[in-house]
């Protein structure tokens, strides 16, 4: 069918307008906080705090945000563990005007309009607050006429940079990946990269304490498991979830969770492109002389220095586990899952 040049130009213009939002996120996921092409969304997302109150600002792509206001302070640092206030807004220049979240929403909804950072919407403690994010400040106007000013803060894990103790096996210190099958040592950053593929230790382990530091990519258009999904497998059998779950409820398939088994005591996931830490004390499942399991594996886990599992007995294998019986030694696996995860300062002490 013949089309006139004017009609073709109009169609081209419509197509360009339609794909502009996708082009704005074309570099996603971002893997460095120093990338000059990071959108302004990254600058505004993150944690904000004032006396006895905290807030986590979640970037949802293309200038959309949801803010989780936490009475008492940030998770692991004063939050009352129950109440949340959800606000939502969109970028206007370099500011975001916020109103109380409303409408039909679901947990991790695909569009910003239907997205909720809490499984229950409205959450317990919801209030009709408004606010503005601008230049490192979150200004909140409460429903009783008060004004609260929260400043952006960048928290660091209390175990960041932890040195390997005497007797530790250094699995990665930035100089070599000789202890690993797969992965890539970046010559410039000295980081261990998954490049989206699983990497495993060459050695097998049984019971141990272990430290590792990881960085999640910034992928604001992602939702749920589409946001930097990975896993930290104990003895290649039990998955500790690695995922950008910043600001969410902290369920078992989110960062800090024992995948499909146990929610975190508190969601301690930091914003994407922050260095984060896992510190694990793991005791493998016990077996009798016939090889029958008599007790499940026990894990105590800290995410960013805060206890998220306390001597939890894992009831069985998680998804993706190796085929051998529980209670046998296994590799440490860092799952790629198609996502660009980065690791540093990894060491282990065998019991």
């Amino acid at each position: 069918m013949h089309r006139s040049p004017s009609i073709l130009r109009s169609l081209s213009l419509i197509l360009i307008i339609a794909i502009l939002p996708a082009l704005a996120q074309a570099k996603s996921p971002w893997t460095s906080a120093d990338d000059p092409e990071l959108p302004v969304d990254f600058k505004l997302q993150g944690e904000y705090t004032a006396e006895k109150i905290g807030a986590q600002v979640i970037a949802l792509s293309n200038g959309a945000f949801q803010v989780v206001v936490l009475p008492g302070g940030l998770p692991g640092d004063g939050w009352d563990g129950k109440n949340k206030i959800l606000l939502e807004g969109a970028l206007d220049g370099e500011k975001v005007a916020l109103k109380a979240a409303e409408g039909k929403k679901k947990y991790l909804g695909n569009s910003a309009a239907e997205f909720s950072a809490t499984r229950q919407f409205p959450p317990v403690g919801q209030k009709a607050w408004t606010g503005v994010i601008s230049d490192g400040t979150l200004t909140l106007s409460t429903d009783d006429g008060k004004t609260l000013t929260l400043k952006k803060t960048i928290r660091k894990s209390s175990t960041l940079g932890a040195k390997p103790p005497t007797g530790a096996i250094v699995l990665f210190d930035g100089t070599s990946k000789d202890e690993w099958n797969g992965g890539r040592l970046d010559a410039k950053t000295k980081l261990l990269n998954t490049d989206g593929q699983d990497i495993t230790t060459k050695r097998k382990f049984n019971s141990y304490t272990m430290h590792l530091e990881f960085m999640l990519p910034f992928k604001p258009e992602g939702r749920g498991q589409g946001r930097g999904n990975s896993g930290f497998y104990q003895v290649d059998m039990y998955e500790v979830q690695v995922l950008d779950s910043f600001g969410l409820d902290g369920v078992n398939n989110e960062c800090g969770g024992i995948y499909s088994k146990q929610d975190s005591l508190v969601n301690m996931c930091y914003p994407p492109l922050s260095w984060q830490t896992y510190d694990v004390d793991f005791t493998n499942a016990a077996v009798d002389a016939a090889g029958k399991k008599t007790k499940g594996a026990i894990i105590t886990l800290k995410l960013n220095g805060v206890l998220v599992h306390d001597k939890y007995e894992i009831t069985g294998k998680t998804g993706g586990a190796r085929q051998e019986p529980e209670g046998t030694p296994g590799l440490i696996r860092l799952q790629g899952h198609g996502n660009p995860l980065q690791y540093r300062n990894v060491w282990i002490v065998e019991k």
Side-chain angles (χ1 to χ4, degrees), residues 297-312:
I298 303 292
I299 188 169
T300 294
L301 182 70
K302 291 182 178 181
L303 172 55
N304 291 321
V306 175
L307 187 70
V308 294
H309 296 285
D310 187 9
K311 298 182 178 68
Y312 172 68

Side-chain angles (χ1 to χ4, degrees), residues 128-132 139-148:
W129 290 13
T130 59
V132 175
T139 304
L140 297 173
S141 299
T142 70
D143 51 3
D144 58 1
K146 295 179 181 178
T147 299
L148 305 174

Side-chain angles (χ1 to χ4, degrees), residues 76-137:
D77 191 21
W79 176 47
D80 67 16
K82 177 181 179 181
N83 294 284
K84 294 182 177 182
I85 302 165
L86 295 188
L87 308 179
E88 60 188 1
L91 188 64
D92 182 6
E94 293 195 355
K95 296 183 179 181
V96 178
L98 301 165
K99 63 176 184 177
E102 57 187 9
K104 187 176 181 180
K105 297 188 184 298
K106 61 182 179 180
Y107 193 48
L108 311 182
N110 285 328
S111 71
E114 67 178 357
F115 180 92
S116 172
T118 57
R119 286 168 290 177
Q120 177 182 329
F121 183 82
V124 174
Q126 178 71 345
K127 297 180 184 295
W129 290 13
T130 59
V132 175
I133 308 172
S134 176
D135 195 27
T137 300

Side-chain angles (χ1 to χ4, degrees), residues 51-348:
E51 186 177 1
K52 296 185 178 179
I53 192 166
Q56 295 182 312
V57 177
I58 306 169
L60 298 176
S61 184
N62 295 316
F65 296 87
Q66 189 159 108
V67 179
V68 185
V69 180
L70 302 160
L74 294 169
D77 191 21
W79 176 47
D80 67 16
K82 177 181 179 181
N83 294 284
K84 294 182 177 182
I85 302 165
L86 295 188
L87 308 179
E88 60 188 1
L91 188 64
D92 182 6
E94 293 195 355
K95 296 183 179 181
V96 178
L98 301 165
K99 63 176 184 177
E102 57 187 9
K104 187 176 181 180
K105 297 188 184 298
K106 61 182 179 180
Y107 193 48
L108 311 182
N110 285 328
S111 71
E114 67 178 357
F115 180 92
S116 172
T118 57
R119 286 168 290 177
Q120 177 182 329
F121 183 82
V124 174
Q126 178 71 345
K127 297 180 184 295
W129 290 13
T130 59
V132 175
I133 308 172
S134 176
D135 195 27
T137 300
L138 169 59
T139 304
L140 297 173
S141 299
T142 70
D143 51 3
D144 58 1
K146 295 179 181 178
T147 299
L148 305 174
T149 302
L150 289 71
K151 294 293 185 181
K152 190 171 185 181
T153 186
I154 298 176
R155 292 196 286 176
K156 292 186 178 181
S157 168
S158 60
T159 69
L160 195 70
K163 303 297 183 185
T166 301
I169 299 170
V170 177
L171 295 175
F172 183 73
D173 64 0
T175 62
S176 164
K177 70 173 199 72
D178 289 349
E179 291 283 348
W180 297 89
N181 289 311
R184 174 178 60 86
L185 170 59
D186 189 290
K188 182 177 179 181
T189 65
K190 307 301 183 185
L191 303 177
L192 181 62
N193 293 256
T194 64
D195 291 336
Q197 302 295 317
D198 289 5
I199 61 177
T200 59
T201 55
K202 293 180 178 178
R203 309 189 199 199
K204 291 184 178 181
F205 300 96
N206 193 49
S207 299
Y208 49 82
T209 59
M210 184 174 174
H211 172 89
L212 87 164
E213 301 178 7
F214 64 98
M215 180 183 286
L216 290 158
F218 180 55
K219 191 178 180 181
E221 76 281 7
R223 300 289 184 268
Q225 300 298 299
R227 207 163 167 121
N229 185 15
S230 181
F232 169 32
Y233 275 79
Q234 313 306 308
V235 296
D236 203 15
M237 193 165 285
Y238 311 103
E239 181 182 4
V240 173
Q241 182 74 53
V242 178
L243 183 73
D244 175 14
S245 310
F246 174 62
L248 305 182
D249 278 351
V251 297
N252 64 70
N253 66 345
E254 295 174 354
C255 201
I258 309 302
Y259 189 79
S260 76
K261 299 292 185 181
Q262 184 73 359
D263 297 354
S264 299
L265 295 172
V266 61
N267 180 9
M268 281 305 302
C269 188
Y270 285 168
L273 299 187
S274 305
W275 279 109
Q276 311 198 50
T277 62
Y278 269 136
D279 291 276
V280 60
D281 185 309
F282 178 81
T283 301
N284 210 350
V287 296
D288 61 19
K292 182 180 179 181
K293 186 175 78 168
T294 59
K295 187 174 184 179
I298 303 292
I299 188 169
T300 294
L301 182 70
K302 291 182 178 181
L303 172 55
N304 291 321
V306 175
L307 187 70
V308 294
H309 296 285
D310 187 9
K311 298 182 178 68
Y312 172 68
E313 183 174 347
I314 307 173
T315 56
K317 297 181 182 183
T318 63
R322 59 188 168 91
Q323 296 302 308
E324 288 85 358
E326 290 185 86
T328 55
L331 308 172
I332 303 299
R333 174 154 51 109
L334 304 179
Q335 191 180 45
H337 225 308
N339 291 292
L341 274 291
Q342 300 173 90
Y343 292 90
R344 69 181 189 188
N345 192 21
V346 186
W347 49 261
I348 194 167

